[in-house]
């Protein structure tokens, strides 16, 4: 593993998790270097965050392509010009093709606003409240061909309060996303985190099915 780990971030929206990564990289001993931020939406505020931090940006409009595979092939071409060791999904609102996922096997991370395997997909906070869950949270995982189904790296667990709304729950979960995503990216950059056929490994040890748990 090189002294510096080059990272490309993909996003579609405001980029709050990108900002958390940028802030964590400001630490002088951080091995993480964000080489580029790529969005499928030209109006994504995350692009402005990247520009403010002096990070290269690219826009690749998915509507300009004939289908998912064509877009993903073009996206691979753009990403690979930066030769990253790691690709980070930070609110990238696209379902990725199997070919894309295979191309970045073992070096593609995502964050999801639930305690996976619960509540894959959308509206996770509403679903947790409707189910009467006492705990909720967020998960960082390696991306595989199964949507929101790759091996878990780290989860942050928060208590659901009796007066929580989807909005209040989302706000508290977001705060934890901004803690655990930079942590997982740093683990990878330091050579501590990897993926093999058994699952996610931290310091050479197979992580439990739930990943590394942080209870808030």
């Amino acid at each position: 593993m090189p002294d510096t780990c080059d990272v490309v971030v993909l996003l579609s929206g405001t980029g709050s998790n990108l900002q958390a990564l940028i802030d964590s990289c400001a630490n002088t001993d951080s091995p993480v270097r964000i080489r580029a931020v790529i969005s499928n939406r030209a109006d994504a505020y995350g692009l402005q965050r990247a520009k403010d931090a002096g990070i290269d940006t690219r826009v690749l409009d998915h509507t300009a392509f004939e289908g998912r595979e064509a877009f993903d092939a073009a996206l691979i071409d753009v990403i690979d010009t930066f030769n990253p060791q790691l690709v980070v999904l930070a609110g990238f609102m696209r379902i990725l093709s199997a070919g894309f996922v295979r191309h970045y096997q073992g070096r593609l991370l995502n964050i999801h606003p639930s305690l996976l395997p619960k509540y894959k997909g959308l509206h996770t906070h509403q679903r947790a409240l409707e189910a009467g869950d006492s705990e909720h949270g967020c998960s960082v995982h390696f991306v595989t061909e199964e949507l929101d189904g790759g091996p878990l790296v780290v989860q942050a667990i928060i208590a659901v309060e009796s007066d929580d709304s989807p909005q209040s729950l989302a706000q508290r979960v977001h705060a934890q996303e901004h803690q655990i995503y930079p942590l997982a990216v740093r683990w990878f950059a330091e050579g501590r985190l990897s993926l093999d056929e058994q699952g996610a490994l931290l310091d050479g040890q197979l992580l439990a099915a739930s990943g590394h748990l942080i209870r808030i």
Side-chain angles (χ1 to χ4, degrees), residues 69 72 76 96-104 145:
E69 283 74 16
D72 282 5
I76 286 171
L96 298 166
S97 64
F100 183 96
V101 172
R102 283 195 296 269
H103 184 77
Y104 296 108
E145 294 176 43

Side-chain angles (χ1 to χ4, degrees), residues 13-64:
T14 61
S16 65
N17 272 306
L18 168 67
Q19 190 64 56
L21 289 169
I22 290 171
D23 293 345
S24 72
C25 291
N27 186 331
T28 53
D29 69 345
S30 174
V32 178
R33 180 172 66 171
I34 302 174
R35 287 292 314 278
V37 172
I38 303 169
S39 179
N40 62 315
R41 296 176 56 97
D43 62 349
Y45 182 64
L47 293 169
Q48 187 60 50
R49 293 182 190 269
K51 289 172 184 173
D52 290 345
I55 298 167
D56 278 350
T57 62
R58 299 287 188 276
V59 175
L60 199 64
D61 182 357
H62 62 276
T63 65

Side-chain angles (χ1 to χ4, degrees), residues 8-12 38-40 60 62 67-76 79 87-105 107-111 141-148 181:
V8 167
V9 178
L10 308 184
L11 54 77
S12 301
I38 303 169
S39 179
N40 62 315
L60 199 64
H62 62 276
R68 192 183 311 281
E69 283 74 16
F71 171 76
D72 282 5
L75 183 58
I76 286 171
I79 293 170
V87 178
V88 169
L89 306 178
F92 189 58
M93 303 306 290
R94 296 279 304 164
I95 295 175
L96 298 166
S97 64
F100 183 96
V101 172
R102 283 195 296 269
H103 184 77
Y104 296 108
Q105 180 76 21
R107 53 195 185 109
L108 184 61
L109 289 177
N110 185 44
I111 192 158
H141 65 95
F142 280 104
V143 178
T144 62
E145 294 176 43
E146 180 187 354
L147 179 65
D148 297 331
Y181 216 1

Side-chain angles (χ1 to χ4, degrees), residues 38 40 43-44 67 81 86 131 144 169 178 192:
I38 303 169
N40 62 315
D43 62 349
T81 62
L86 178 67
T144 62
L169 202 51
H178 300 161
R192 299 178 58 195

